[in-house]
Structures are given as C-alpha cells and as structure tokens.
Amino acid sequence: MGGVKKIWNEMEVAAEARQNGITEFLTSNVTVDTSLSLPHMTPRVIELCKDLFKKWSKLDDSWFSVERVSGGITNLLLKVSVKEENGNDVSVTVRLYGPNTDYVINRERELQAIKYLSVAGFGAKLLGVFGNGMVQSFINARTLIPSDMRNPKLAAEIAKQLHRFHQVEIPGSKEPQLWNEISKFFEKASALEFDDIEKQRMYETISFEEVQKEVVELKTFILFMRNYFLIIEQELTGLLNSPVVFAHNDLLSGNIMVNDEKEELYLIDFEYGSYNYRGYDIGNHFSEYAGYDCDYSLYPNTDEQYHFFRHYLRPDKPDEVSDKDLEALYVETDTFMLASHIFWALWALIQAKMSPIDFDYLGYFFLRYNEYKRQKERCFLLAQSYLSKSNSR
C-alpha cells in the first residue's frame, strides 16, 4: 500500500479548534510510544503531564502514579494520579490513540464535537491534546461489558442518555456521513496489500465487486424507503424516516461507563461521532450486544428493543409510547443495522493492514460481512411488509 500520509497534526487541529471557539485546552508536542510496556511508558507519560500542566513541572516523578484503565482494539486509557504540593490528590485520564487510527478517524471533527458535548454533560472534560492523544478529566466509574447492556435498568438509562445526546447541536455541516464514510472505507479497504502471506491469501478471497454491489443495493433501498415516507408521512415517525442527528456511531459497551454507587451513567469516546441517521446509531448499538466475538444470538430481541425504544422516544413517559411508533422505530433500526455491519467490516480490513494491535481484524471482517448477508433478506422483507401495511392504512 506504500507509505501512509499523516493526515492529522495536533497543533494544526488545536489552531483550527480555537478558530471555532474552543480555547479551554492545552497542547504539547510530546508523543508516547504505545508499543512500550506500562513501566517503560510511565516516564514519558509523566513528562507529558509535566509539559501540559506547568504547575506539575517541578514535582518529583515519585509524586505521580500511572495505571492502565482499559484498552480496546484501538485506544489505550491511562489513569494518572498526582500528589500536588498542597496535598491534593488529582487524577486525569490520558487517552493514547492506537497507531494509524487517524487514518480512519477525523480528529478535527472529534475535537470540535467534544467541546459542545462536554457542555451538554457528556464524556469527560477535554484538558489537553498532544502528539498522539488527549488528556481529559477522570471519570470515577467502571466500563460496561456487553452483558451489562442487557440489564433493563441500564438499557433504559442508555436510551435516555442517547436521546439527550441526539439533541446536541454541533456546528458545521448537518449532512449524514454514513455513505460518505462507507465510500471512503471501501476505497481504502479494496486497495490493500499484505506482507503476511496468509493474510494476503484471506484478503484475496474477498470479492470487492460483490461488496460494492451490496453497498449500492443497501444504500438505494434505505434512501428509497426513507424518501418515500418523507413524502407520504406527515409525522417524523414513519419507517426509515430516520431524522439526522449528531450520532455517537460507536456505542459499544467499552464506550459506556457507570458509577454503580451513584447510579450515574456516562457515554464516552466520540472518535466516530458525526451527523448521521438516528436509526443507524441505535442499530449499531444493538449490534454491539454481540461483543467482539460477534455472538449475534445476544442481539436484543423484540421485547428488549421495545423497552429501549420506549425510554428513547419518551424518557419522561416511556409507557405512553404508541405501538405504531414502536413498530416504526423497530423497522427503521433493523434496516440501518445492516449498514453498521458493512461499515465495521470495511473498517476491520483497513485495521488489519494499519494496526499493530494483536487482534484478528480479517476474521472480524468476515464475521460482520457474513452477518450482514445472513440478515439482509429478513430485514428487507420486514421493511417491505411494513411499507405495504402502511400503504393500505
């Protein structure tokens, strides 16, 4: 594939962000090598914190402690605790981007969104940006695991939080980015070459002509259904009349935290956030019930989805949501769920080439793409059946 052009520079992003009114964070040119073990990484992390926060610059390194909070298949989160001269104990979160993740993530868009989402009460406060990551306030909470999302109480709270999240206004274009992102991912994913012979062999079994046809068919179907209901429905609750909102786009369990004692839930990590279809954001969230193992027997059943929809559509009065609205959102979400499989399947191919993290990205592609093909006919028939029934009313 050749050399990768760096498409993001933190100082350029910081300057651009300031032009958009974001001035409350610090910057540093320090980078941290994510390939190092935590003990070898710690001195560099401390150096970074001293460079960002001048009040800590003269503190002895022994006054700092660094521990790993979590690490998914792209980012590494570290908790840095500091004993200040006045005796206060302060903690911050250092988020280290996985190598080459800027190849698939718009950091400028992420940085701009964080300011407005933070004001609305989402995520941690952005404190500083540096060469390959950012520093945020520390959230005292645990990260969910996939099985947590099935908990009715937590599912209801996630739905309420997502409803609020979708109300946040972010400056810039309000155009949905789903098809643009899929197109970009397809272009990159279909032009890869692997040094590893076995990976190359697996990669060559993929028919990108078939994948492209599937993308075109899915896009055509969704846009037709959505436009049809925009014309004939007076309300914005019709099938695939999915409103465009600022969506999280990556609401897996690892991006949700909860403080069990205080019963406070937090949506975090807005790397993939953009304006997008409501149905996509919810359908993508439901797909994440399956976890990285892609056990789709864990996908929420109809009753579980309706429970979520009630609290999403009417957080104040969930029991007053009509059956019509539940059915409409069910079909909308079910159809957009297909797009989430295509999106992350193509993403996985790019990561298989770019990421040094030990994860079977190629295998993940096949799991997501095969699930798309397995669900496609059922989802299309469900949407068409709903269309016919709505037409006859």
Side-chain angles (χ1 to χ4, degrees):
M1 186 175 178
V4 178
K5 180 182 178 182
K6 185 167 179 60
I7 58 174
W8 176 72
N9 175 277
E10 69 88 20
M11 300 303 274
E12 292 177 1
V13 171
E16 178 69 22
R18 288 193 181 96
Q19 292 178 17
N20 287 287
I22 305 174
T23 59
E24 296 88 352
F25 59 86
L26 307 167
T27 60
S28 170
N29 287 317
V30 173
T31 59
V32 180
D33 185 351
T34 56
S35 68
L36 297 175
S37 64
L38 183 59
H40 289 93
M41 190 188 299
T42 294
R44 188 65 167 173
V45 173
I46 294 173
E47 179 187 346
L48 163 68
C49 291
K50 287 183 175 183
D51 189 51
L52 276 174
F53 306 102
K54 301 308 178 186
K55 64 179 180 178
W56 296 346
S57 61
K58 298 188 183 303
L59 295 180
D60 188 83
D61 286 5
S62 62
W63 290 30
F64 294 79
S65 66
V66 180
E67 60 185 290
R68 180 172 179 149
V69 177
S70 68
I73 56 174
T74 53
N75 293 324
L76 173 64
L77 287 183
L78 302 174
K79 176 184 178 183
V80 179
S81 301
V82 186
K83 174 75 75 174
E84 296 185 326
E85 290 181 306
N86 59 10
N88 288 341
D89 291 313
V90 180
S91 296
V92 297
T93 300
V94 175
R95 178 152 66 101
L96 299 172
Y97 305 139
N100 300 320
T101 52
D102 53 339
Y103 194 66
V104 293
I105 294 170
N106 186 330
R107 296 295 182 193
E108 181 179 340
R109 185 171 66 194
E110 176 194 13
L111 201 58
Q112 182 183 40
I114 284 176
K115 163 68 181 298
Y116 298 93
L117 292 169
S118 179
V119 169
F122 293 102
K125 182 179 179 181
L126 177 64
L127 304 176
V129 295
F130 57 97
N132 61 329
M134 62 175 62
V135 179
Q136 295 173 285
S137 60
F138 179 74
I139 296 177
N140 185 24
R142 68 176 177 89
T143 303
L144 297 193
I145 58 175
S147 60
D148 284 324
M149 298 192 296
R150 307 185 71 86
N151 180 310
K153 186 175 182 179
L154 288 176
E157 186 58 30
I158 293 168
K160 293 175 183 177
Q161 291 275 8
L162 190 60
H163 173 89
R164 282 207 313 112
F165 191 95
H166 287 168
Q167 311 306 309
V168 179
E169 290 284 332
I170 307 295
S173 172
K174 301 295 192 292
E175 290 297 313
Q177 294 302 302
L178 175 61
W179 305 113
N180 291 337
E181 297 294 333
I182 287 179
S183 178
K184 291 175 186 176
F185 280 9
F186 179 85
E187 182 180 355
K188 294 172 181 176
S190 60
L192 300 174
E193 185 174 334
F194 294 89
D195 297 328
D196 184 286
I197 296 175
E198 181 60 23
K199 285 185 177 181
Q200 184 64 26
R201 185 194 67 76
M202 289 182 64
Y203 177 75
E204 289 175 354
T205 66
I206 301 168
S207 170
F208 283 99
E209 181 179 358
E210 175 192 295
V211 175
Q212 187 172 39
K213 287 180 179 179
E214 293 291 349
V215 170
V216 171
E217 182 180 5
L218 179 61
K219 179 180 179 181
T220 301
F221 180 78
I222 286 179
L223 293 183
F224 167 76
M225 300 295 283
R226 186 170 186 270
N227 289 338
Y228 179 84
F229 273 83
L230 279 171
I231 294 172
I232 69 170
E233 291 281 340
Q234 296 299 311
E235 301 176 356
L236 293 180
T237 54
L239 167 67
L240 296 184
N241 199 351
S242 192
V244 175
V245 297
F246 190 83
H248 188 288
N249 294 326
D250 190 24
L251 202 56
L252 73 167
S253 59
N255 288 336
I256 306 171
M257 302 183 74
V258 64
N259 183 310
D260 294 303
E261 184 178 338
K262 295 182 178 180
E263 297 188 335
E264 294 176 346
L265 186 136
Y266 307 88
L267 308 186
I268 66 168
D269 198 345
F270 315 124
E271 287 184 313
Y272 294 92
S274 70
Y275 274 93
N276 218 338
Y277 302 103
R278 172 189 67 182
Y280 176 83
D281 213 12
I282 300 175
N284 182 72
H285 172 64
F286 287 163
S287 293
E288 296 297 349
Y289 277 51
Y292 290 132
D293 294 332
C294 296
D295 181 0
Y296 289 105
S297 67
L298 300 176
Y299 193 86
N301 60 36
T302 304
D303 288 341
E304 290 172 320
Q305 290 186 52
Y306 277 21
H307 172 72
F308 186 97
F309 296 152
R310 287 188 180 94
H311 290 275
Y312 175 86
L313 291 172
R314 291 292 303 272
D316 54 338
K317 298 178 180 178
D319 293 334
E320 295 186 11
V321 176
S322 70
D323 290 343
K324 176 185 176 182
D325 284 351
L326 289 173
E327 185 180 9
L329 188 51
Y330 177 80
V331 180
E332 174 190 321
T333 297
D334 206 49
T335 310
F336 272 103
M337 171 268 293
L338 293 175
S340 79
H341 287 311
I342 293 286
F343 179 93
W344 293 111
L346 293 172
W347 169 91
L349 289 180
I350 300 169
Q351 293 289 58
K353 171 65 179 180
M354 306 305 300
S355 176
I357 296 173
D358 183 19
F359 183 80
D360 185 12
Y361 290 106
L362 276 173
Y364 191 75
F365 163 83
F366 288 106
L367 287 170
R368 295 301 297 253
Y369 186 60
N370 288 338
E371 183 64 14
Y372 159 80
K373 291 194 292 185
R374 190 178 77 84
Q375 294 286 352
K376 172 187 167 185
E377 183 177 1
R378 180 192 66 79
C379 292
F380 276 30
L381 287 174
L382 177 66
Q384 290 167 345
S385 173
Y386 185 90
L387 173 64
S388 298
K389 185 165 62 175
S390 298
N391 238 343
S392 64
R393 287 173 180 166

